C-alpha cells in the first residue's frame, strides 16, 4: 500500500504515549514493505538521530516546524474562535500547505492521527479512491467529559464549551472518514453512536508495547520505591502526580517509612518540581531510558482523575515486571482483571492500602507481576495489534465494495 500518514507530533523520542503509538504504526508499516510518507508537526528541538530513525521506515519524511503553544494561550484562543482546543493547539499554515501539496499525488491510504488533524482536509471528500483512516487515540468527547465532571469551576466550564465545539467539528469532519481506530471497546461504542455516516467503520485497535524492548528484570534488587512515568507538562499527569504525592503517599509512609515516590518524565511543571521538597519524593525530569528506573521500583501508580483512552505507561509497567495500582480512569481500555493483573482503587485510603500490600507482600507481588506480563505478551504486542489492522486495511482496498465488519 502507498500510505500518507499525518501526525501533529514528531514521533521521536518515545517519551509520550501518542508518539509511541505513531512511531510503531510507521515502523510496522515500513517493516511490512509498505510505501510510507510521513508528514508531522514539530514544536521542540530534536536530535538528527530522530530523523534517521524515522527515515529507516519511510520513503519520504517531512517535518514542519511550528511554535509551541502554552495550555493557557491555547485555551483562550479556542474560546475566542469557537474551535476545539486541539485544532487551535496543532494548527499550522505551513503544515496545511505541505499536506495540500502532498495530496496531489495518489495514495491508497490516508492515515490521520488525532481527529483535530482532519481540519487540514477541508476539501477532501469521502468516496475518493484514497481510504481515509482516523486513528483517534482518544474519543475526544469522552476525554473532555472527565474534566467537565470535577476540578476547578473554570476547568469544568471550559470543558463543556470545548465539548460543544467538538460535537460541531466532529459532524463536519467525520463524514470524510472510512475507518476510525479506537483504543478501547468503550471508545468504539461511544464513537459509533456519534458517527454522521453509517458507512464509517470503527475498529478497536488497542495501545500496545514493544515486548522485546521491555523485558522484565526480576533479579535486580528493588527498594520500596513507587514510580510514575510520563510527560510532566500534561495537565492530567500533573494532577495525578500532585494528588498522589500530597494525599496518598503520606499514608503509605506512615506504614512504610522508607518508601520513595519517583516521578520520571520530561518537562516537569513547577508544581511537580516543587514535590521534590517533600520527604521521600524525587523528580528526575527527562531520562534517556525508563527501564533502569522501573527495574528498581516495586510499584507503579496511575492515579488519574482525568483523561481517556488507554494509558501506555500502565502497559509498560506491566511489561517491565512492576505491578500497577490505578484508578478506573488510569486502567480503562485494558482487559485486566483487578486483583489479578493490577490493583484498582478510587479512594485515597484504599489506594494507599493497595500500594502497601504490593510493597510488603512478596507472594502477591510475584503473582501479579507474572500475570501482568503474561497478559501483555498475549494481547498487547504492537506487532500482533498493528499487523492485523494493516491486513484488514489491505482487504478493504482490494475489495472496496465488500467492506470489513467493525
Amino acid at each position: 500500500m502507498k500510505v500518507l500518514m499525518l501526525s501533529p507530533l514528531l514521533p521521536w523520542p518515545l517519551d509520550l504515549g501518542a508518539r509511541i503509538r505513531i512511531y510503531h504504526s510507521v515502523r510496522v508499516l515500513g517493516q511490512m514493505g509498505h510505501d510510507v510518507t510521513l508528514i508531522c508537526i514539530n514544536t521542540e528541538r530534536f536530535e538528527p538521530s530522530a530523523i534517521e530513525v524515522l527515515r529507516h521506515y519511510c520513503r519520504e519524511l517531512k517535518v514542519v516546524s511550528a511554535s509551541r503553544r502554552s495550555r493557557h494561550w491555547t485555551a483562550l484562543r479556542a474560546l475566542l474562535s469557537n474551535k476545539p482546543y486541539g485544532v487551535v493547539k496543532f494548527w499550522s499554515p505551513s503544515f496545511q500547505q505541505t499536506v495540500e501539496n502532498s495530496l496531489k499525488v495518489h495514495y491508497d491510504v490516508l492515515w490521520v492521527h488525532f481527529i483535530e488533524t482532519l481540519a487540514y482536509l477541508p476539501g477532501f471528500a469521502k468516496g475518493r479512491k484514497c481510504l481515509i483512516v482516523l486513528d483517534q487515540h482518544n474519543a475526544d468527547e469522552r476525554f473532555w467529559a472527565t474534566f467537565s465532571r470535577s476540578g476547578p469551576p473554570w476547568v469544568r466550564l471550559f470543558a463543556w464549551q470545548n465539548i460543544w465545539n467538538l460535537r460541531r467539528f466532529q459532524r463536519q469532519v467525520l463524514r470524510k472518514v472510512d475507518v476510525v481506530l479506537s483504543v478501547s471497546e468503550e471508545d468504539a461504542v461511544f464513537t459509533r453512536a456519534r458517527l454522521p455516516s453509517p458507512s464509517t467503520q470503527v475498529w478497536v485497535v488497542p495501545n500496545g508495547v514493544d515486548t522485546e524492548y521491555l523485558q522484565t528484570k526480576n533479579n535486580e534488587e528493588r527498594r520500596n520505591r513507587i514510580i510514575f512515568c510520563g510527560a510532566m507538562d500534561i495537565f492530567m499527569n500533573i494532577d495525578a502526580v500532585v494528588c498522589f504525592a500530597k494525599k496518598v503517599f503520606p499514608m503509605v509512609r506512615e506504614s512504610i517509612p522508607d518508601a520513595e515516590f519517583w516521578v520520571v518524565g520530561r518537562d516537569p511543571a513547577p508544581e511537580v518540581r516543587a514535590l521534590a521538597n517533600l520527604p521521600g519524593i524525587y523528580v528526575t525530569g527527562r531520562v534517556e531510558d525508563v527501564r533502569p528506573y522501573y527495574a528498581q521500583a516495586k510499584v507503579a501508580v496511575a492515579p488519574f482523575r482525568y483523561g481517556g483512552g488507554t494509558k501506555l505507561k500502565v502497559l509498560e509497567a506491566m511489561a517491565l515486571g512492576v505491578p500497577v495500582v490505578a484508578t478506573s480512569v488510569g486502567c480503562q481500555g485494558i482487559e485486566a482483571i483487578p486483583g489479578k493483573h493490577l490493583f484498582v482503587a478510587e479512594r485515597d485510603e484504599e489506594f494507599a492500602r493497595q500500594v502497601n500490600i504490593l510493597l510488603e507482600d512478596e507472594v502477591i507481588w510475584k503473582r501479579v507481576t507474572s500475570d501482568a506480563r503474561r497478559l501483555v505478551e498475549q494481547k498487547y504486542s504492537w506487532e500482533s495489534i498493528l499487523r492485523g489492522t494493516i491486513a484488514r486495511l489491505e482487504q478493504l482496498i482490494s475489495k472496496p465494495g465488500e467492506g470489513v465488519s467493525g
Side-chain angles (χ1 to χ4, degrees), residues 10-24:
L10 178 69
W12 193 269
L14 303 182
D15 57 0
L16 192 65
R19 284 194 173 111
I20 293 171
R21 184 175 175 93
I22 297 165
Y23 165 77
H24 284 289

Side-chain angles (χ1 to χ4, degrees), residues 191-387:
T191 301
R192 289 188 188 105
R194 285 155 181 79
L195 288 173
S197 172
S199 64
T200 301
Q201 300 182 37
V202 182
W203 302 350
V204 177
V205 181
N207 279 325
V209 291
D210 186 340
T211 53
E212 294 299 317
Y213 179 76
L214 300 176
Q215 291 284 347
T216 58
K217 292 185 178 181
N218 291 334
N219 58 326
E220 295 201 20
E221 181 181 354
R222 296 178 187 261
R223 304 172 65 176
N224 285 327
R225 183 173 295 178
I226 305 158
I227 189 171
F228 179 100
C229 280
M232 292 318 306
D233 58 344
I234 296 175
F235 178 80
M236 63 180 180
N237 290 357
I238 296 169
D239 177 82
V241 163
V242 171
C243 286
F244 178 84
K246 293 184 175 181
K247 296 181 179 180
V248 180
F249 186 59
M251 289 187 280
V252 173
R253 294 260 295 186
E254 286 179 9
S255 301
I256 306 175
D258 67 340
E260 300 172 354
F261 178 40
W262 283 65
V263 181
V264 180
R266 66 173 177 84
D267 300 331
E271 55 265 52
V272 176
R273 289 198 300 269
L275 296 177
N277 297 320
L278 300 177
I281 299 182
Y282 302 84
V283 179
T284 68
R286 182 189 293 274
V287 300
E288 292 300 319
D289 189 346
V290 299
R291 291 175 298 176
Y293 294 88
Y294 276 114
Q296 295 181 12
K298 276 190 178 178
V299 179
V301 291
F304 291 96
R305 300 193 298 173
Y306 306 109
T310 303
K311 304 296 186 292
L312 271 165
K313 56 182 65 65
V314 173
L315 292 173
E316 287 179 346
M318 294 166 70
L320 284 165
V322 183
V324 177
V325 181
T327 59
S328 56
V329 172
C331 64
Q332 64 186 340
I334 299 174
E335 294 182 30
I337 300 172
K340 178 177 174 63
H341 303 112
L342 48 67
F343 284 171
V344 180
E346 304 297 341
R347 294 169 47 251
D348 294 340
E349 296 81 3
E350 179 63 13
F351 207 103
R353 190 181 74 84
Q354 303 280 27
V355 170
N356 284 348
I357 288 173
L358 289 170
L359 290 177
E360 295 182 306
D361 194 318
E362 187 175 356
V363 173
I364 294 177
W365 187 91
K366 287 182 176 179
R367 175 180 58 77
V368 175
T369 296
S370 177
D371 289 342
R373 173 69 190 190
R374 191 176 302 112
L375 175 70
V376 168
E377 290 175 341
Q378 291 173 350
K379 292 192 174 183
Y380 294 103
S381 161
W382 278 123
E383 293 294 327
S384 60
I385 291 169
L386 289 170
R387 285 180 179 271

